[in-house]
Amino acid sequence: MSANRLSLNTATTKYWTLAEAVAGAKAAGLEAVGLWRDRVAEVGLEEAARIVSEAGLRVSSLCRGGFLSAADEAGIAAALEDNRAAIREANALGTRELVMVVGGLPAASEPSGPAIPDGDKDIVAARQRVHDRIAELVPYAREHDVRLVLEPLHPIFAGDRAVLSTLEQCLDMAAEFDARDVGVVVDTYHVWWDPKLREMIARAGAEGRIASYQICDWILPLAPDALLSRGHVGDGYIDFPTITAWVAETGYDGDIEVEIFNADIWGTPGEQTVETMKERYASLVEPYL
Amino acid sequence: MSANRLSLNTATTKYWTLAEAVAGAKAAGLEAVGLWRDRVAEVGLEEAARIVSEAGLRVSSLCRGGFLSAADEAGIAAALEDNRAAIREANALGTRELVMVVGGLPAASEPSGPAIPDGDKDIVAARQRVHDRIAELVPYAREHDVRLVLEPLHPIFAGDRAVLSTLEQCLDMAAEFDARDVGVVVDTYHVWWDPKLREMIARAGAEGRIASYQICDWILPLAPDALLSRGHVGDGYIDFPTITAWVAETGYDGDIEVEIFNADIWGTPGEQTVETMKERYASLVEPYL
């Protein structure tokens, strides 16, 4: 593995275009970027692939596929089509890792969706639909040399964004698939509170399923939009040395992405954000790898 | 068990005094109340016990003991003293069930505490301290015929309020103690998202540890103070018929408390809040018992 495993996820520098993010990462000495599909779509897939490739950077992951919990036929068809597109994009961009945010309860799968007093609240059935869609997508992903990477989201998002909430649950869902086809993300923001975290990181590593280690901090109070409550590594409650050591113990040697949604950080010049990322990584993460 | 298992937790009608809450519950035909210690303290323990007893109501639980995660000697001593007082109060009020909110990371155990960039972030050690304090309190609780009831809090509160986040974790911690001494709460708000919920409710029931079934709903968007984001049963994302059936399958026949923190509901006349509670209970909970 390369010397510098720190990767800039484009969500962290929201107001940078893809070209700016790639240039900013390269200028800061990084060797990898994690891409969001909206940034890719802005310039078009071919141009995006060219920008990254000419800069000589790795693409550590593509965010995101998912939103697979629809119960109606049209919703299911649309989700499958969108995810097949995401699979093709991952392949074209040169990454095997397509991060899947699997969707919440079906009437509420959009960010900040309304309460659903009369909606479908059967979370057990929603999880089963996610499983079934993953099973349908695996052959297509394999054809394109792409892995579907299940991301457990913090239970704060179980209603509206992801009915997968723990690493254990993702690993159980992944178990019937080959580790080349279905992996998991370890994102500190989502899993730091989990009493079985050490055990499940070890299991994920032993199964060869850790597709990405993502880092950002849990800060309080929550932002008015809970989605934007993430902080720089070290600014909140998460014990990065410990969790990083658990990940390292598995032998994981892939990239480590910083993915932060935070209006204040977005309002900071991208160069400064990347410098802060590097400093925190150097003090709280890298020594424990 | 009595015909009416619905219990009014005094947190739901925040602006009612203890006497008003007891009178309001009784007038609405309820047979039980769950008490918070602040409401009890306002009138004094003896008077509180007299008010409830003269009304002929059961006390379904006392909220709350806990905040046991301190790492310093003075903090540990203060927590033990406060919890011994809570144990005596539960006994005097005629309930066996003392609900324990165990505390978050030590520098941040107060509600809406600040971020702790330089604080103690070792959540594994914090959980061990909680375990050790519980072990110290059990003999005292037993002497007073009181059960320490571990409450898993939604992971949104793992940083600042409770390092116990899942029923499984609470049951694992309880395992070395007799079920008469250490129980668990099943509070829908905190556990509805848990992929192992059915399994862990069944385990809790089989072990005789379900001390309280508490109901309120998960609503979005979150309130500015996340603590106050609870809604009436039926107003949010939670599948009450299903979870209630899982609880009923265990044979649990105790009271079912409604405990809601919500500024809008607190601003509603208590009588109306109790009526809404009753309606939602009758339609979404009672038929599944």
Side-chain angles (χ1 to χ4, degrees), chain A residues 97-134:
Chain A
E97 314 296 0
L98 176 62
V99 174
M100 308 291 279
V101 173
V102 299
L105 292 172
S109 280
E110 287 311 303
S112 305
I116 49 162
D118 301 311
D120 175 356
K121 305 181 189 183
D122 187 343
I123 195 168
V124 176
R127 291 178 187 134
Q128 183 61 43
R129 290 193 299 274
V130 167
H131 165 273
D132 294 348
R133 298 296 90 71
I134 292 290

Side-chain angles (χ1 to χ4, degrees), chain A residues 114 121 127 168 193 196 236-237, chain B residues 114 121 127 168 193 236-237:
Chain A
K121 305 181 189 183
R127 291 178 187 134
E168 180 173 29
W193 58 271
K196 301 180 86 171
Y237 288 75
Chain B
K121 305 182 190 184
R127 291 177 187 136
E168 180 173 29
W193 58 271
Y237 288 76

Side-chain angles (χ1 to χ4, degrees), chain A residues 105 108 114-117 121 127 154-156 158-160 165 168-169 192-193 195-196 218 220 222 234-239, chain B residues 105 108 113-117 121 127 154-156 158-160 165 168-169 192-193 195-196 218 220 222 234-239:
Chain A
L105 292 172
I116 49 162
K121 305 181 189 183
R127 291 178 187 134
H154 193 287
I156 194 177
D160 58 348
S165 305
E168 180 173 29
Q169 181 187 16
W192 72 275
W193 58 271
K196 301 180 86 171
W218 175 266
L220 292 178
L222 295 175
D235 281 350
Y237 288 75
I238 298 179
D239 184 352
Chain B
L105 291 172
I116 50 162
K121 305 182 190 184
R127 291 177 187 136
H154 192 287
I156 194 178
D160 58 348
S165 304
E168 180 173 29
Q169 181 186 17
W192 73 276
W193 58 271
K196 301 180 85 171
W218 175 266
L220 292 177
L222 295 175
D235 282 350
Y237 288 76
I238 298 179
D239 184 352

Side-chain angles (χ1 to χ4, degrees), chain A residues 221-244:
Chain A
L222 295 175
D225 178 350
L227 264 184
L228 308 187
S229 291
R230 303 184 185 204
H232 273 297
V233 166
D235 281 350
Y237 288 75
I238 298 179
D239 184 352
F240 286 95
T242 299
I243 297 175
T244 299

Side-chain angles (χ1 to χ4, degrees), chain A:
Chain A
M1 193 64 203
S2 92
N4 195 346
R5 299 165 61 184
L6 182 61
S7 174
L8 171 66
N9 183 294
T10 59
T12 304
T13 49
K14 182 183 173 72
Y15 300 121
W16 267 355
T17 63
L18 183 72
E20 287 168 340
V22 164
K26 192 175 169 74
L30 306 191
E31 302 172 8
V33 286
L35 302 182
W36 272 66
R37 293 177 69 201
D38 56 352
R39 276 295 95 85
V40 171
E42 280 169 8
V43 295
L45 182 57
E46 275 184 47
E47 174 68 3
R50 193 193 60 76
I51 290 170
V52 179
S53 148
E54 287 193 355
L57 298 184
R58 296 184 298 277
V59 176
S60 45
S61 74
L62 179 66
C63 294
R64 59 176 203 252
F67 290 90
L68 297 169
S69 56
D72 62 300
E73 212 168 304
I76 292 171
L80 289 173
E81 186 179 326
D82 184 58
N83 278 280
R84 288 193 199 100
I87 288 166
R88 293 191 299 271
E89 291 167 28
N91 174 270
L93 291 163
T95 180
R96 293 204 72 242
E97 314 296 0
L98 176 62
V99 174
M100 308 291 279
V101 173
V102 299
L105 292 172
S109 280
E110 287 311 303
S112 305
I116 49 162
D118 301 311
D120 175 356
K121 305 181 189 183
D122 187 343
I123 195 168
V124 176
R127 291 178 187 134
Q128 183 61 43
R129 290 193 299 274
V130 167
H131 165 273
D132 294 348
R133 298 296 90 71
I134 292 290
E136 285 175 85
L137 288 167
V138 158
Y140 192 83
R142 179 182 290 189
E143 278 171 32
H144 291 80
D145 194 27
V146 167
R147 171 151 74 171
L148 305 177
V149 180
L150 303 177
E151 178 158 29
L153 256 57
H154 193 287
I156 194 177
F157 302 118
D160 58 348
R161 300 187 71 79
V163 295
L164 295 181
S165 305
T166 67
L167 268 180
E168 180 173 29
Q169 181 187 16
C170 290
L171 290 168
D172 287 348
M173 188 175 283
E176 73 184 76
F177 306 104
D178 194 284
R180 285 170 309 160
D181 296 328
V182 181
V184 297
V185 188
V186 177
D187 181 326
T188 54
Y189 187 81
H190 294 306
V191 301
W192 72 275
W193 58 271
D194 186 347
K196 301 180 86 171
L197 184 57
R198 182 177 195 166
E199 179 186 346
M200 290 303 146
I201 286 174
R203 176 179 160 193
E207 295 180 1
R209 295 197 195 268
I210 301 179
S212 181
Y213 178 39
Q214 298 189 336
I215 52 174
C216 72
D217 216 335
W218 175 266
I219 57 174
L220 292 178
L222 295 175
D225 178 350
L227 264 184
L228 308 187
S229 291
R230 303 184 185 204
H232 273 297
V233 166
D235 281 350
Y237 288 75
I238 298 179
D239 184 352
F240 286 95
T242 299
I243 297 175
T244 299
W246 293 344
V247 171
E249 278 168 14
T250 69
Y252 175 75
D253 64 358
D255 290 315
I256 298 171
E257 270 186 37
V258 174
E259 185 189 40
I260 304 178
F261 308 98
N262 179 310
D264 291 337
I265 293 173
W266 288 343
T268 301
E271 293 80 0
Q272 189 179 323
T273 296
V274 174
E275 280 312 305
T276 305
M277 269 174 52
K278 287 175 61 178
E279 289 165 19
R280 303 302 176 82
Y281 176 76
S283 61
L284 291 166
V285 177
E286 198 171 28
Y288 305 95
L289 287 171

